[in-house]
Each structure stands twice: as C-alpha cells, then as structure tokens.
Amino acid sequence: MSMLAQQSGISEQMAAFGARWLPGEQLSEHTSLGVGGPADIIRVHDARRLPELAAYLHGHGVSWRILGGGSNLLVADQGLADVLLQLARGEAMAFAGNRAEVPAAANLGTAILECAKRNLGGMEGLIGVPGTVGGALRMNAGAYGTEMGDVVRALTVFHGATGLIETVKTEKVRFEYRHTSFSADDVMLAVTLELLDCPYAVILERIKQCNRKRRASQPVQERSAGCIFKNPPGRSTGKMIDELGLKGTRVGGAVISERHANFIVNRDHSTAADILNLMDFIRARVLKEYGLELDEEVIVWKG
Ligand SMILES: Cc1cc2nc3c(=O)[nH]c(=O)nc-3n(C[C@H](O)[C@H](O)[C@H](O)COP(=O)(O)OP(=O)(O)OC[C@H]3O[C@@H](n4cnc5c(N)ncnc54)[C@H](O)[C@@H]3O)c2cc1C
C-alpha cells in the first residue's frame, strides 16, 4: 500500500483532480495472470488534470506507475508501494478520412473492430492481443506480421518528467521488438492511427483467420500474460522450450502450457513466486542447452 493511504480526505482530494481513489486493490483481479498483491489505484477520469495530479503525488513523495489492461504484467505477491494510475475508459473514438483518434484507455480489440466497421484495416493481426491501446503502444505489441508502431502516426503523451502534455509525431519514437523508446513515466493519453481503405467483409475475414490461428496455437482459455520471454534473434523461444521437453512442467500452480511452450499459465491458484521460479528454471535450462540468455517479455513489477 502507498504512503497516500495514510492521508485523510484522499478520496475527496482525488475527486478534485477528476480521479477516483481505489485503495488496496488486489492486483490479481487487475491482471490477466491473476497474481499480485495489493496496491492503491487512482482511476483517472480527466486526463487533462494529470499534470496537477502528478505534481500532487510528487509533492507527497509518492511514486507511481501506469496500469493498462494488466495483460502483460507479473506483479509480486506482496503488492506494490507505488500508486498505480489507470486511465478510465469512456471517451469516444473520432474518425477523419483514413485516420482514427483513439483514447489510450480503449480496448485494443474494440478499437480494431470500430475501425473495421468504417472500412479501415491494417490492424487485423493484432485482434487477439488483450489490453488497451496505450499498453499496446508502449509494448509495441505485435502479432501475425503487424506491430502497433506500423499504424500509429502521432500520439498525445503526458511526460511525467516535465509535467507537460504534448503531441508527438511517431518519427521521434523508436519502435523495436516489444519495446519503445518512451520513458517509464510517459503516459500515452491518445493515439492517431493511419489505416488502409479496405472493405469491412475483407477485414472481418482476416480477423477470423487470426482468431482461428490464435485459438489453435495458444491457451486462450487459461490465465496467462501471453509470451513470457522474447525470442532471441532468429530463434523461437517456444520451440526451444518445447524441444527441451518442458511443456507441462509445474511449479506450484504455475504450468508451462502444453499448447504453447512460451506461455506460463496460472492453472491452480498460482502465486507470482511460482511463476518467477518457473521462469528461472526455464532460463537456466535454455542457457545450459542453447547458450542463450532469455529476456523477459512480461513486465515484472516487484515491490
Ligand atoms: C492471451 C494473451 C495473448 C497475448 N498475445 C500477444 C501478442 O500476440 N502480441 C503481443 O505483443 N502481446 C501479446 N500479449 C501481451 C499483452 O496483451 C500486450 O503486451 C498488451 O499490449 C499489453 O497491454 P495492457 O493494456 O494490458 O498493458 P499492461 O499489461 O497494463 O502494461 C504493460 C506495460 O505498458 C505500460 N502501459 C500501459 N498503459 C499505458 C499507457 N496508457 N501509457 C504508458 N504506458 C502504459 C505499463 O506501465 C506496462 O509497462 C498477450 C497477452 C495475453 C494474456
């Protein structure tokens, strides 16, 4: 729990910033892996007030992180002392020609479908990626040949370091494999997408194909954070783990998926510690047998 929790009148103070105070939320309920202890969440309903809100937190010596849809996070069992800022959903998307202005809090899949309905395509590959548009941008999420950075032309960002909100052209951003050049305290607020004219029926068919491929190759019905490790250049981490015969390996309630070896699933009340131990085990085996150090794709938040 954060230092703010001891302040009196904090709910009213947050309401004055257009935000909602949610103390002691179990992060297992806010993450797709279903693990993680308590943290205080501030749900931001008016992003224009973020500069004031961040200045207030800074003035009270409280550090913060930004929580999207929680689909790429592994949070420690003991929870976090930092406050989590989470942008509230609700703002509408806006369309002009082949551009779409999308709030960062929007669900990525919903955004793709809303664009499709207006005959705007190019993001179909990302259809099964859970989470928000802001999270996808930060991670440069990618699937089936499309990466988020391919379709983003500009974005509105709150820079925690300067306290300013500004619009940034994407030429200034480095998009890499599951990584972007943003700082940890840059908060995406809205994104301008540039898409291709394409009939709705064609986009829908591509979406169905991607959904079929995903269902056939990933444990979509189980709790996970997608791929746990990145692929080293020219190698498939899932293939290496599979070749080592590690599918089905279990630590506590955490299991290496039988369907996709680079997915760890929370099958039976797993803790974050179980998952971290299983990750260490995989890392050690891959290093020993292949001489390769695996980098995490999941973002690990330890206390
Ligand atoms: C079943 C499953 C399948 C998946 N498949 C894929 C896949 O095919 N490809 C892929 O790339 N990923 C995949 N993932 C991982 C995950 O869905 C993506 O990384 C997703 O883009 C994360 O978005 P999120 O909103 O959930 O972010 P979170 O998990 O909440 O956060 C991830 C990171 O983004 C930051 N962040 C979140 N919102 C913002 C914001 N508004 N501004 C700044 N930073 C922000 C967080 O601080 C954190 O560092 C999968 C996950 C699951 C569970």
Side-chain angles (χ1 to χ4, degrees):
M1 302 265 273
S2 74
M3 279 154 58
L4 268 194
Q6 275 108 53
Q7 292 272 124
S8 63
I10 193 68
S11 287
E12 292 75 14
Q13 181 59 66
M14 289 303 128
F17 290 128
R20 200 164 148 227
W21 174 241
L22 301 166
E25 290 284 310
Q26 288 299 325
L27 293 179
S28 53
E29 288 166 22
H30 293 269
T31 55
S32 57
L33 263 172
V35 299
D40 299 329
I41 297 181
I42 297 173
R43 183 135 328 129
V44 178
H45 287 268
D46 183 355
R48 289 165 306 178
R49 309 286 301 278
L50 256 181
E52 292 163 71
L53 174 52
Y56 177 89
L57 296 178
H58 183 69
H60 286 77
V62 176
S63 335
W64 52 268
R65 309 177 195 211
I66 176 98
L67 172 67
S71 66
N72 203 42
L73 293 175
L74 170 52
V75 184
D77 296 312
Q78 65 271 28
L80 300 170
D82 289 356
V83 158
L84 300 184
L85 302 182
Q86 188 178 42
L87 303 174
R89 278 192 198 157
E91 274 178 68
M93 295 173 63
F95 295 89
N98 63 347
R99 290 196 168 208
E101 178 82 11
V102 187
N107 174 272
L108 179 64
T110 307
I112 295 170
L113 289 172
E114 286 301 317
C115 292
K117 282 185 208 160
R118 289 160 179 87
N119 302 309
L120 294 174
M123 294 175 84
E124 300 77 87
L126 295 168
I127 191 67
V129 178
T132 62
V133 168
L137 183 62
R138 150 77 59 165
M139 296 302 306
N140 191 21
Y144 304 120
T146 308
E147 287 189 341
M148 195 63 192
D150 300 339
V151 290
V152 175
R153 288 299 160 263
L155 47 131
T156 309
V157 187
F158 166 65
H159 293 295
T162 59
L164 298 175
I165 294 178
E166 64 171 5
T167 302
V168 178
K169 293 254 170 68
T170 38
E171 296 87 78
K172 292 197 166 176
V173 182
R174 246 188 6 265
F175 288 99
E176 292 162 5
Y177 170 47
R178 304 301 166 266
H179 179 78
T180 50
S181 54
F182 297 105
S183 308
D185 57 2
D186 284 340
V187 183
M188 320 313 157
L189 303 180
V191 183
T192 306
L193 305 172
E194 190 174 73
L195 298 161
L196 304 168
D197 292 323
C198 187
Y200 180 51
V202 174
I203 302 175
L204 216 54
E205 191 43 49
R206 288 193 200 137
I207 284 176
K208 282 184 191 158
Q209 275 175 22
C210 290
N211 280 338
R212 274 197 293 271
K213 276 193 216 163
R214 205 175 266 278
R215 278 197 298 270
S217 61
Q218 297 181 5
V220 289
Q221 307 292 352
E222 294 192 89
R223 308 204 71 156
S224 79
C227 287
I228 283 283
F229 296 106
K230 293 183 184 177
N231 292 320
R235 304 299 292 261
S236 156
T237 299
K239 193 159 179 283
M240 289 190 283
I241 299 172
D242 193 5
E243 283 169 1
L244 292 171
L246 298 183
K247 279 181 169 175
T249 305
R250 170 186 280 263
V251 173
V255 181
I256 300 176
S257 166
E258 294 81 357
R259 187 161 278 209
H260 191 311
N262 198 13
F263 276 54
I264 291 181
V265 295
N266 174 357
R267 190 161 292 168
D268 186 17
H269 306 289
S270 167
T271 61
D274 292 339
I275 297 171
L276 288 165
N277 286 335
L278 192 48
M279 287 168 67
D280 283 346
F281 171 75
I282 295 170
R283 230 190 307 260
R285 288 294 309 272
V286 169
L287 182 61
K288 182 162 179 269
E289 306 297 335
Y290 292 91
L292 291 170
E293 300 259 8
L294 291 179
D295 279 343
E296 287 150 13
E297 181 164 330
V298 68
I299 308 269
V300 180
W301 280 352
K302 293 185 183 161

